[in-house]
Amino acid sequence: MNFETNETQKMIAESIRDFAKIHIAPNVYKWDESQEFPVPLFKKLGEMGFMGVLVPETYGGSGLTYHEYITVIEEVSKVDPAIGLSVAAHNSLCTGHILQFANENQKQKWLPKLASGEWIGAWGLTEHNTGSDAGGMSTTAVLDGEYYVLNGAKNFITHAISGDIAVVIARTGEKGDSHGMTAFVIEKGTPGFSSGKKEDKLGMRASETAELVFDNCRVSKENVLGEVGDGFIQSMKILDGGRISIAALSLGIAKGAYEAALKYSKERVQFGKPISSFQGVSFKLADMATEIEASELLTHKAAAKKELGEKMTTIGAMAKMFASETCVKVANEAVQIHGGYGYTKDYPVEKFFRDSKLCTIGEGTTEIQKVVISRNILKD
C-alpha cells in the first residue's frame, strides 16, 4: 500500500477547508441549536462534485476513488460532523446502492440528479423493532400487476423528510428469509409515501433523521433494484462500504477534537506553564494522536481493498469499530483537557463529544462489528 497522500486528496482537502470556512463554520451552532437541515448547502456541495464522489463521470459524478472519498468526509467532519454524516449517507447509501445494483436505464435516470446535488438521497433499512436484526423487518411489498404495494414504516432514516428519492428495503417473502427482501427506489411525491416523526437527537442535529411511512404506496416493478429477493444481500454489501464512510466520519471527528485540544493545551496556562507541558495532558495527547493514526491506516486499508474489488468485510468492520471507538475516546479526552470550558458551547469540543457517539451506533453498532469480525476470523 502507498501511504502517501496524493495530489488529488491534497487539492480536495484544501478546497473543502476553504468552502467550510465560508459556508459551514459560521453556521455550525445555529444549525445544531435549531436542528436545521441546510438543504442549500448540499446543493453547493453538489456543484463542487462532493455529492457524487464515487459516481463515474458518465453519470455526472466526480469518478474518484474511496481514498478521495475518505478525504471529503473527513475534512467536512472536522468542521461539522453532522454535515459530514449527511454527505456520507447520501454518497454511500442511497447513491451507492443505485450505482452498485441498478440497471443502465435506472442509473441514467437517477444518478445524475443525485451526483449533482439536485436531489438528496435517503436509504431505508432500519425499522422500529428491527435495528441490528434487519432481516426481521415488517414493511411489506406485495405484487399487484405491474406494481408493488408497500405498507409499513422505516425509522432513523437520514433525509427522510428533505430527501427527494429513497432506496427502501421491503419484505417480499417470509419474515427472516435473507432472500425474502427486495430493494425499491421511490421518488418523493409517490402517493402513499410520506415522512413521519423527526428525531430530537443528542448530536448530529443538523443531519435530519426521521421516519419513512408507506401506506398502500404503489411502486412500479421498473423501480426494483437488481433481482426480487436480493434486497437484504445487497444491503449487507452496501453496509460494507458504508463502514468506510463511518470510519472516515469518525476520523474527522477525532482529528477535529484532537486539533482543538492540542491548540488549547498550548494556550491555557496554569501554575505559570502551558498545560501541554504537564505529563497528565501531554500523555493524553500522545494517546489521541496514536489512535488517530491507527484509525486512519485501517480506514485507508479498507478503502484499498474496496478499490481492488477484494473482500473487505472484516477489515471494513475493524476500521469502523476502531475508528468510531477512537473518536468517542478522543472527544472525551478533548473535553477533559479543556476542563470546565470543554463543557460549554464556547469551544468546539462539546459538540464533537455529542456528535461522536453516533459513530459507535450507526450502520452497525460496535457489538455488531465484533460479531462480523469474530465470525469471519473463526471461519477463516
Side-chain angles (χ1 to χ4, degrees), residues 235-352:
S235 297
M236 295 304 102
K237 291 177 180 176
I238 293 301
L239 288 173
D240 275 353
R243 287 171 186 141
I244 295 174
S245 296
I246 301 299
L249 173 65
S250 302
L251 192 57
I253 294 172
K255 285 187 176 183
Y258 166 74
E259 289 169 9
L262 182 65
K263 180 175 182 288
Y264 182 83
S265 73
K266 292 177 179 179
E267 296 170 349
R268 175 69 166 168
V269 174
Q270 292 286 273
F271 308 103
K273 298 178 182 178
I275 62 172
S276 59
S277 66
F278 297 109
Q279 192 177 82
V281 172
S282 64
F283 277 18
K284 286 183 188 296
L285 292 167
D287 286 339
M288 293 156 79
T290 302
E291 293 194 5
I292 288 169
E293 189 74 15
S295 298
E296 189 161 26
L297 291 171
L298 267 173
T299 304
H300 278 283
K301 183 173 182 179
K305 283 187 170 288
K306 180 74 173 173
E307 282 297 319
L308 292 169
E310 295 178 5
K311 189 168 176 58
M312 44 71 63
T313 301
T314 305
I315 192 69
M318 288 176 172
K320 195 272 185 189
M321 179 183 75
F322 189 84
S324 63
E325 291 291 340
T326 291
C327 86
V328 171
K329 285 189 279 185
V330 168
N332 180 53
E333 293 288 38
V335 171
Q336 193 72 15
I337 288 169
H338 279 71
Y341 291 111
Y343 205 66
T344 72
K345 293 184 185 293
D346 295 329
Y347 289 83
V349 292
E350 174 270 343
K351 184 174 182 298
F352 283 126

Side-chain angles (χ1 to χ4, degrees), residues 94-111:
C94 179
T95 305
H97 201 139
I98 293 171
L99 178 62
Q100 194 165 337
F101 293 105
N103 61 41
E104 187 59 31
N105 288 339
Q106 292 171 330
K107 288 178 182 179
Q108 294 284 358
K109 182 179 180 181
W110 293 311
L111 285 179

Side-chain angles (χ1 to χ4, degrees), residues 177-196:
D177 178 6
S178 61
H179 293 281
M181 290 156 274
T182 301
F184 300 87
V185 177
I186 311 175
E187 296 179 20
K188 195 174 197 175
T190 301
F193 178 42
S194 63
S195 54

Side-chain angles (χ1 to χ4, degrees), residues 347-365:
Y347 289 83
V349 292
E350 174 270 343
K351 184 174 182 298
F352 283 126
F353 182 62
R354 287 188 290 109
D355 288 346
S356 68
K357 190 57 198 166
L358 180 278
C359 297
T360 67
I361 298 170
E363 294 196 36
T365 62

Side-chain angles (χ1 to χ4, degrees), residues 5-22 48 50 71-72 75-76 78:
T5 303
N6 64 43
E7 288 305 313
T8 305
Q9 288 171 264
K10 291 176 183 175
M11 183 181 69
I12 287 171
E14 186 176 339
S15 173
I16 292 174
R17 287 185 202 121
D18 292 341
F19 178 88
K21 279 180 189 175
I22 299 169
M48 295 180 69
F50 298 142
T71 301
V72 170
E75 290 295 333
V76 172
K78 282 165 70 174

Side-chain angles (χ1 to χ4, degrees), residues 128-142:
H128 293 273
N129 296 315
T130 56
S132 299
D133 180 23
M137 67 178 59
S138 297
T139 298
T140 57
V142 178

